[in-house]
């Protein structure tokens, strides 16, 4: 597996991807309705697309975006149990306290409850969590620690370096997408997080090197090269280390890569 990237956070349910140089994709969901499409992709590419199922703190509806509710989570609960053997993690879950999306204390409290329930499910199923933390970096890490979460990936983390170090000291991992190369504010953050706590992601189809273009997993080399430059390391070293970190955090990836076939439940 040397020399191969692992994309720890992307959204592959819109269409199939097959990218040279990417060993595995951890593909997350945001809504319940994405799970069956994701599992079908995983059936088609069983040693490539690794399913991660969760309900995002912000939901998109016909009327626009709004904060998640317990009603959004309810239909997912039975699916966690039904497909537990075929998931490599729980996510994308977390907190998003963007003021215009989550303007009230009641909405923030309900987000915390939805997050807590999914953290409890992850602990019960012994799966890592793939975590969103927009405008809530400090609150997210504090809540993860309070809940006793241990297997954590904080994707596209944009909080203060001091807050990130609290997460790193708790054993959490942080992943960064291609867009990080265009954001000088992340340089100090990445410099301070130990390499053993860093993973790579693309967040495809978002957060690419060019806002006007659709992001793809093949762009995984961009954050790798940026992290290497910031830390004064070779790209090969960062590629190897981040892949190793991904396999430590998501051990079921290794199992799936080494399995010739995987029995799956019917999607009916």
């Amino acid at each position: 597996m040397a020399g191969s990237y692992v994309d720890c956070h992307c959204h592959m349910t819109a269409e199939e991807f097959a990218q040279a140089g990417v060993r595995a994709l951890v593909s997350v969901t945001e809504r319940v309705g994405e799970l069956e499409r994701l599992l079908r992709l995983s059936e088609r590419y069983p040693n490539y697309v690794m399913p991660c199922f969760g309900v995002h703190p912000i939901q998109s509806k016909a009327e626009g975006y709004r904060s998640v509710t317990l009603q959004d989570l309810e239909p997912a609960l039975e699916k966690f149990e039904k497909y537990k053997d075929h998931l490599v993690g729980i996510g994308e879950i977390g907190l998003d306290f963007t003021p215009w999306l989550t303007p009230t204390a009641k909405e923030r409290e309900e987000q915390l409850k939805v997050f807590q329930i999914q953290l409890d499910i992850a602990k019960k199923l012994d799966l890592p969590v793939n975590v969103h933390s927009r405008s809530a970096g400090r609150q997210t890490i504090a809540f993860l620690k309070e809940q006793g979460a241990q297997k954590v990936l904080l994707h596209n983390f944009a909080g203060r370096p001091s807050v990130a170090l609290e997460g790193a000291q708790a054993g959490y991992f942080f992943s960064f997408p291609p867009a990080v190369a265009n954001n000088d504010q992340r340089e100090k953050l990445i410099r301070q997080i130990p390499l053993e706590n860093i993973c790579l992601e693309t967040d495809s189809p978002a957060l690419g090197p060019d806002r006007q273009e659709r992001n793809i997993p093949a762009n995984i080399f961009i954050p790798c090269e940026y992290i290497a430059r910031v830390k004064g390391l070779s790209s090969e070293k960062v590629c190897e280390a981040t892949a190793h970190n991904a396999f430590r955090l998501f051990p079921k990836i290794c199992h799936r890569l080494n399995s010739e076939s995987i029995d799956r439940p019917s999607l009916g």
Side-chain angles (χ1 to χ4, degrees):
M1 298 180 189
S4 298
Y5 299 105
V6 178
D7 187 344
C8 284
H9 186 104
C10 57
H11 301 255
M12 294 294 100
T13 52
E15 61 182 73
E16 291 97 348
F17 285 79
Q19 306 294 331
V22 182
R23 186 68 183 92
L25 304 172
V26 178
S27 186
V28 301
T29 67
E30 296 183 354
R31 295 167 294 281
V32 178
E34 295 179 77
L35 177 60
E36 292 189 358
R37 295 202 306 276
L38 176 56
L39 290 176
R40 289 191 178 100
L41 273 177
S42 184
E43 286 177 343
R44 186 168 182 179
Y45 304 105
N47 299 321
Y48 184 56
V49 177
M50 310 291 170
C52 194
F53 177 50
V55 176
H56 193 281
I58 298 297
Q59 295 291 294
S60 60
K61 300 293 181 182
E63 64 274 16
Y65 294 93
R66 60 164 176 77
S67 188
V68 71
T69 67
L70 289 166
Q71 286 69 35
D72 296 317
L73 177 63
E74 186 175 355
L77 298 179
E78 65 176 354
K79 295 182 184 293
F80 285 116
E81 182 66 27
K82 181 176 181 180
Y83 296 107
K84 62 184 180 182
D85 293 335
H86 309 282
L87 301 175
V88 302
I90 303 297
E92 179 175 359
I93 65 175
L95 300 176
D96 192 317
F97 291 168
T98 304
W100 56 90
L101 294 173
T102 315
T104 69
K106 183 177 183 296
E107 288 170 316
R108 292 191 291 272
E109 289 169 5
E110 192 153 17
Q111 268 196 29
L112 282 163
K113 184 62 176 176
V114 170
F115 190 22
Q116 179 186 357
I117 291 170
Q118 293 183 97
L119 288 174
D120 288 343
I121 290 170
K123 283 188 281 188
K124 176 183 176 183
L125 301 180
D126 193 25
L127 289 173
V129 289
N130 211 318
V131 177
H132 174 100
S133 58
R134 187 165 55 188
S135 298
R138 182 179 298 278
Q139 296 95 323
T140 301
I141 288 179
F143 192 70
L144 286 163
K145 292 170 66 177
E146 176 187 313
Q147 296 298 311
Q150 296 182 342
K151 303 174 183 179
V152 175
L153 176 71
L154 288 140
H155 109 89
N156 189 34
F157 188 79
R160 294 180 179 275
S162 59
V163 176
L165 286 175
E166 289 182 24
Q169 289 166 3
Y172 302 161
F173 294 84
F174 297 80
S175 59
F176 299 97
V180 74
N182 301 324
N183 188 334
D184 292 338
Q185 293 179 345
R186 300 292 182 87
E187 184 172 336
K188 183 178 180 181
L189 177 66
I190 290 171
R191 186 180 292 115
Q192 292 195 34
I193 298 174
L195 183 59
E196 56 264 31
N197 294 90
I198 293 179
C199 294
L200 302 178
E201 65 162 285
T202 61
D203 202 24
S204 304
L207 297 184
D210 186 338
R211 289 186 178 183
Q212 307 305 316
E213 295 182 5
R214 182 182 179 89
N215 192 17
I216 57 174
N219 287 328
I220 194 76
F221 76 93
I222 296 174
C224 180
E225 292 183 350
Y226 180 78
I227 292 165
R229 179 174 66 80
V230 169
K231 289 190 169 293
L233 301 169
S234 69
S235 296
E236 291 77 14
K237 172 65 175 177
V238 173
C239 176
E240 179 182 357
T242 54
H244 176 69
N245 295 341
F247 295 138
R248 284 196 293 137
L249 178 61
F250 297 99
K252 290 181 73 172
I253 292 180
C254 290
H255 172 73
R256 290 170 62 92
L257 290 175
N258 293 328
S259 297
E260 293 184 1
S261 64
I262 301 174
D263 294 331
R264 301 179 183 278
S266 169
L267 298 180

